Amino acid sequence: MVAFLTVVAIGTGLLSMPMAVEAGETTSWTSALFTATSAVCVTGLAVHDTAEHWSFFGEIVILVLMQIGGFGIMTLSSILAVVVSGRLGLRARLNTQAETKTFGPGDVRRVITGVAKVTLVAEVLTAAALTARFLIGYGEPFGRALYYGIFHSVSAFTNAGFALWPDSIMRFVGDPWICIPLALAVVAGGLGFPVYAVLRQHWRRPARWSLHTKITLGMTAVLLFGGALAITVTEWNNPGTMGGLSPGLRIMAGFFHSAMTRSGGLNSVDTSQMSENSWLISDVLMFVGAGSASTGGGIKVTTFALLGYVILAELRGEPDVSAGRRRIPEQLQRQTLTIALLSVASVAVGTFVMMVVTPFKLDRVLFEVISAFGTVGLSSGVTAQAGTAGHLVLTALMFIGRIGPVTLGAALALHIQTRRFRYPEERPLVG
């Protein structure tokens, strides 16, 4: 947490410098703080248009902050998994390592190297595809095409959501050679290093995948394609978003938006013109977010899935909660409930405060708050007009949403205590 605060402070200072903005533009300290936090927390919400307000130096600062934030959160989350594994008792540690097939004490160097390799490969491939498209399809000079490719590759894989055009990616809504690589990079960044570590060893043998890998891949597919279907259906005839596109492009736009709710933050249609139904669907997808130890935010797909398994076991009257022929420990069930409920509380409090300090209605405010807490970066049009108080609230939500679930999950796992006595049991009425 201290490291992230330090990087945010340095970024705020750099973005406050006159050389960080275009001639004639000025930046308040709150705007610099907001932008630095948004970049380090790989969110993408912005109070100024990135291309028009920030100079080339300012854009490079944002690019570096995105890279540090994305790499840092993947590394931090993965290392915390190592620490948790090492601090558990011997039996629990062996069970954990047998289940994850990924981490163990002494793996810190391997984790850092692995995260760096995954990041480099994904960003280079995406940047190459984008650069080629800008160069060949749009006639951009090689230097500018390469810069566009690198910037948006980093923005997509880190799930940051910054773009160098005033309309984000809306001008490319009909270009699959731009939209598909960006969407795939966002999904790749949202899987998390533990999944890649397992796939690297056992990609041909799904039976040997860890439960975490199976849940992450399964839930990602369900939410990605289910969200795409729901968004496409609700926006099919909306003239402000997909109504004017061909059927094929509407499907692609729906898939792109669903991928961006994983925590990507780029938009190929005008999010502020979406229907309230689509905002609600997006709220759910953004709140769930991406995979653990990934560049994505939200409560994480594993948390969401485990909540479902807890409910299913209770409805069936089963004594144990199981998933994939594996029993879920009671401590992990309590940790899951704690993270989910505290996240709900953060969103509720943030929404209330934003309703007080801004003039916007509940549906737009809720969308913006969840986007900030889930470090998504999609906007219903609130952020730019939220004022200083609103910007400070969103800044706090971005930081809490980025660091909170990770550190809270690790703290809960490391705080397990044994007690040599138990109180008498009594059942209060429920329901």
Side-chain angles (χ1 to χ4, degrees):
M1 182 178 295
V2 174
F4 272 82
L5 284 173
T6 302
V7 176
V8 168
I10 294 173
T12 302
L14 292 174
L15 293 176
S16 298
M17 298 171 63
M19 64 184 299
V21 298
E22 296 285 3
E25 299 286 347
T26 58
T27 302
S28 65
W29 73 270
T30 53
S31 295
L33 173 64
F34 186 97
T35 305
T37 304
S38 184
V40 174
C41 296
V42 290
T43 303
L45 289 175
V47 295
H48 299 294
D49 178 74
T50 304
E52 295 183 355
H53 182 80
W54 303 106
S55 65
F56 178 73
F57 173 79
E59 292 173 2
I60 294 298
V61 171
I62 293 173
L63 174 64
V64 173
L65 293 177
M66 289 190 299
Q67 189 68 85
I68 292 174
F71 179 79
I73 197 65
M74 286 185 72
T75 305
L76 172 65
S77 303
S78 301
I79 289 176
L80 284 176
V82 176
V83 173
V84 169
S85 175
R87 288 284 299 277
L88 296 175
L90 178 59
R91 178 177 297 179
R93 185 189 312 173
L94 293 175
N95 291 337
T96 300
Q97 288 182 243
E99 178 57 37
T100 61
K101 302 180 180 68
T102 307
F103 299 129
D107 284 346
V108 172
R109 179 178 297 180
R110 185 166 68 90
V111 166
I112 296 175
T113 303
V115 171
K117 289 180 179 178
V118 169
T119 302
L120 180 63
V121 170
E123 291 181 354
V124 166
L125 292 176
T126 306
L130 295 176
T131 300
R133 183 56 178 167
F134 290 131
L135 188 66
I136 299 172
Y138 295 92
E140 295 285 356
F142 177 76
R144 182 175 292 275
L146 181 62
Y147 176 58
Y148 282 165
I150 293 175
F151 187 96
H152 294 96
S153 171
V154 173
S155 180
F157 182 75
T158 61
N159 282 214
F162 283 91
L164 294 177
W165 298 282
D167 58 357
S168 189
I169 309 297
M170 288 172 58
R171 64 186 63 193
F172 304 113
V173 65
D175 191 342
W177 299 104
I178 297 293
C179 292
I180 298 302
L182 289 174
L184 293 179
V186 167
V187 174
L191 293 179
F193 176 68
V195 172
Y196 288 114
V198 171
L199 293 179
R200 180 177 177 272
Q201 298 175 8
H202 308 295
W203 68 277
R204 290 185 176 180
R205 294 170 289 182
R208 300 191 64 180
W209 292 356
S210 67
L211 180 60
H212 170 79
T213 300
K214 293 176 181 178
I215 289 177
T216 301
L217 293 177
M219 287 303 302
T220 297
V222 169
L223 294 173
L224 179 63
F225 293 105
L229 176 62
I231 292 295
T232 302
V233 170
T234 54
E235 293 298 311
W236 189 265
N237 294 316
N238 186 346
T241 55
M242 303 178 188
L245 303 175
S246 66
L249 293 183
R250 295 182 200 185
I251 293 173
M252 185 175 72
F255 174 81
F256 187 86
H257 181 80
S258 180
M260 292 306 126
T261 60
R262 307 259 57 75
S263 193
L266 300 169
N267 59 286
S268 63
V269 296
D270 191 349
T271 311
S272 65
Q273 296 300 313
M274 283 184 163
S275 66
E276 295 179 356
N277 294 335
S278 296
W279 282 344
L280 180 58
I281 295 169
S282 300
D283 287 344
V284 175
L285 295 174
M286 292 190 298
F287 184 75
V288 174
S292 299
S294 74
T295 58
I299 64 171
K300 304 297 185 295
V301 293
T302 45
T303 303
F304 183 71
L306 289 178
L307 288 174
Y309 284 119
V310 170
I311 294 173
L312 185 61
E314 191 63 28
L315 292 177
R316 290 177 174 177
E318 296 179 352
D320 296 321
V321 176
S322 59
R325 297 183 178 181
R326 293 292 187 272
R327 182 168 53 87
I328 307 301
E330 293 183 2
Q331 294 91 342
L332 184 58
Q333 297 174 39
R334 293 197 296 268
Q335 293 164 20
T336 299
L337 290 170
T338 301
I339 291 173
L341 291 177
L342 287 179
S343 298
V344 170
S346 298
V347 170
V349 172
T351 301
F352 173 78
V353 176
M354 284 292 290
M355 291 285 291
V356 172
V357 300
T358 65
F360 299 101
K361 295 182 179 180
L362 175 61
D363 50 3
R364 288 184 180 271
V365 170
L366 180 62
F367 185 97
E368 214 78 4
V369 166
I370 295 178
S371 180
F373 179 81
T375 67
V376 179
L378 295 173
S379 177
S380 63
V382 170
T383 295
Q385 307 173 49
T388 300
H391 292 160
L392 292 176
V393 174
L394 293 175
T395 299
L397 284 169
M398 287 189 290
F399 192 82
I400 293 172
R402 177 73 280 178
I403 305 299
V406 176
T407 54
L408 177 61
L412 292 175
L414 294 173
H415 193 61
I416 297 175
Q417 297 180 350
T418 57
R419 179 176 287 178
R420 299 183 182 277
F421 66 92
R422 301 180 73 181
Y423 292 109
E425 183 179 280
E426 184 174 352
R427 292 178 175 269
L429 297 177
V430 175

